[in-house]
Amino acid sequence: MQTTGVQHSLEGDTQAVQRLVRAETSDPHALLGVHRLQWQGAEGLVVRAFAPAARGARLHVVGSEPQPMQQVHDGGLFACFLPDATLPLRY
């Protein structure tokens, strides 16, 4: 997997998260959805979802068991890291 355009934070850019939570973003998909990620020494994909009223979230990747998503911001941002996963991801 190439490292160009790879993110390095499970929760994403702090300022982008704040804009999303305050409903001030014009580009939510720059943060949400699937993104390449290098995290904790591994490369893979991160999937982020915004669900402000949710107490939890699960990621359903086609062909795999559902996985819990980690709440990475109290405003309702959830993320799940999939090490070694590649694009395209069907979920």
Side-chain angles (χ1 to χ4, degrees):
M1 182 180 294
Q2 297 179 20
T3 57
T4 304
V6 174
Q7 297 181 5
H8 298 278
S9 170
L10 188 62
E11 62 274 3
D13 176 72
T14 303
Q15 291 178 346
V17 172
Q18 292 302 321
R19 286 190 302 272
L20 176 74
V21 170
R22 292 189 310 254
E24 296 173 352
T25 184
S26 61
D27 187 13
H29 296 289
L31 180 66
L32 301 176
V34 181
H35 298 274
R36 295 173 50 216
L37 178 68
Q38 187 173 42
W39 189 59
Q40 295 184 340
E43 290 189 22
L45 299 175
V46 61
V47 179
R48 296 188 192 100
F50 183 56
R55 293 186 298 161
R58 296 179 66 77
L59 173 64
H60 295 252
V61 175
V62 174
S64 299
E65 292 294 317
Q67 299 182 47
M69 297 182 81
Q70 177 182 345
Q71 188 167 7
V72 294
H73 188 279
D74 290 341
L77 182 63
F78 294 85
C80 184
F81 179 60
L82 305 169
D84 300 320
T86 59
L87 294 170
L89 182 69
R90 294 178 55 211
Y91 66 104

